[in-house]
Amino acid sequence: MDIIESIKKQHLELSKSEQKVSSYIIKHPDNIETFTITKLANEAKTSTSAVLRFCQSLGFQGYKEFRFEILNYLHNRRQKANPNDLINNYLTDYAKVINQMQQIDHKQIDYLIDCLMNDELNYLLGIYYSSFPAKELYYGLSDLGKPSLYSNDYINSAHITRTMKNSSTLVLFSVSGNKQDFSNFLPDLTNDMPPHSFLITLNPKAELSKIFSETIILPGSVFSNRSVTDGQSIPILFVEMLLNLIHEKI
């Protein structure tokens, strides 16, 4: 019996908080490859202590030992798969996501472009992997003669957003749209968001959408969840489309 089958078998015997962890892992075992215990707790909507109890309920000393067993499971599963099938499936799924880009609300895109091209500074934020599309938008706008400010961590973001005016444009890239870190590091901004604020996310249920005036949901959330990295190819593709559209308007 592999680790996932074992989790399924013991699911009903776990506490409610542990079942949240169990349910998430059963649906997204590949994510554990890159997750810390804190990341898993956040994604499962529970606590790190619940994750630790879950691991111990399965007979492991802690999360590190449990994660090692998951890595073995993933490695064995991939060895059994046909490499050519994996490549074809990945590229086919990626092509489907790209085609879904056409479904993004064109009015939202036009509004974002108008705001980015106004006479005020743009504030472009993205943390960790999400810094890639934010940085590309920053460089692209600079090349087009549009000054902007860019930050790839919350501490620096807290400093630069203090200069933000009510007429400025704020763009945050976040695949998950998780509210916790944003609220912790930018409490003033959370309570006083500029009217031209945009959240770019892959999560249709992003918590941050309640704070931002505009939320643009990109396709590919399921595709991204299956990746061993925090995929940013879709947001970057969206940025490249934006920059080309802006170039046409200049």
Side-chain angles (χ1 to χ4, degrees):
M1 181 184 299
D2 62 45
I3 183 63
I4 297 300
E5 290 179 350
S6 179
I7 293 172
K8 291 178 180 178
K9 184 177 179 180
Q10 299 184 52
H11 179 77
L12 295 178
E13 300 174 8
L14 303 172
S15 67
K16 290 184 178 179
S17 58
E18 291 169 7
Q19 284 181 0
K20 291 182 179 180
V21 182
S22 173
S23 296
Y24 184 86
I25 293 172
I26 291 171
K27 292 180 181 178
H28 311 291
D30 296 89
N31 290 0
I32 308 305
E33 188 168 9
T34 57
F35 275 16
T36 63
I37 187 173
T38 302
K39 177 70 172 177
L40 176 56
N42 288 338
E43 293 297 320
K45 310 298 182 185
T46 187
S47 63
T48 54
S49 58
V51 175
L52 181 59
R53 290 196 303 271
F54 163 80
C55 296
Q56 293 171 342
S57 295
L58 293 177
F60 298 98
Q61 292 184 351
Y63 178 72
K64 184 177 181 180
E65 185 180 0
F66 165 76
R67 181 175 172 273
F68 183 78
E69 184 61 28
I70 287 288
L71 292 180
N72 282 335
Y73 162 80
L74 295 174
H75 176 72
N76 292 333
R77 188 183 67 176
R78 289 165 186 163
Q79 278 191 325
K80 295 177 182 177
N82 186 321
N84 291 328
D85 288 342
L86 289 175
I87 293 172
N88 292 336
N89 290 339
Y90 180 86
L91 294 176
T92 298
D93 288 345
Y94 189 69
K96 290 179 181 177
V97 173
I98 292 176
N99 287 331
Q100 291 171 11
M101 295 280 283
Q102 301 178 48
Q103 300 174 13
I104 302 174
D105 190 338
H106 291 193
K107 291 182 179 179
Q108 276 191 308
I109 295 175
D110 289 339
Y111 180 50
L112 172 57
I113 289 174
D114 289 341
C115 291
L116 289 172
M117 294 176 67
N118 69 20
D119 294 331
E120 297 293 342
L121 273 176
N122 297 316
Y123 292 76
L124 313 173
L125 313 181
I127 311 303
Y128 200 38
Y129 280 113
S130 291
S131 66
F132 297 153
K135 191 172 187 178
E136 181 168 2
L137 182 57
Y138 167 74
Y139 281 134
L141 289 173
S142 297
D143 289 343
L144 294 172
K146 184 65 182 74
S148 305
L149 291 178
Y150 157 75
S151 174
N152 63 357
D153 69 79
Y154 279 123
I155 295 177
N156 187 49
S157 298
H159 287 291
I160 69 170
T161 53
R162 289 173 184 169
T163 65
M164 187 181 298
K165 298 179 181 179
N166 197 49
S167 54
S168 301
T169 297
L170 169 67
V171 180
L172 172 70
F173 290 86
S174 173
V175 167
S176 65
N178 191 300
K179 180 181 177 181
Q180 183 175 353
D181 288 339
F182 187 90
S183 299
N184 288 343
F185 286 95
L186 299 168
D188 295 336
L189 186 58
T190 301
N191 297 319
D192 189 23
M193 191 69 70
H196 305 314
S197 60
F198 296 82
L199 169 66
I200 314 297
T201 182
L202 271 69
N203 184 3
K205 298 182 179 179
E207 296 174 329
L208 280 173
S209 61
K210 298 177 182 178
I211 298 177
F212 284 74
S213 59
E214 295 286 335
T215 298
I216 297 179
I217 301 172
L218 304 181
S221 59
V222 175
F223 179 74
S224 180
N225 284 335
R226 291 205 305 268
S227 174
V228 297
T229 64
D230 185 4
Q232 293 296 329
S233 55
I234 301 303
I236 288 176
L237 180 62
F238 176 74
V239 167
E240 291 178 355
M241 180 182 70
L242 273 182
L243 292 172
N244 278 281
L245 291 172
I246 291 173
H247 180 266
E248 292 299 319
K249 288 194 173 186
I250 294 178

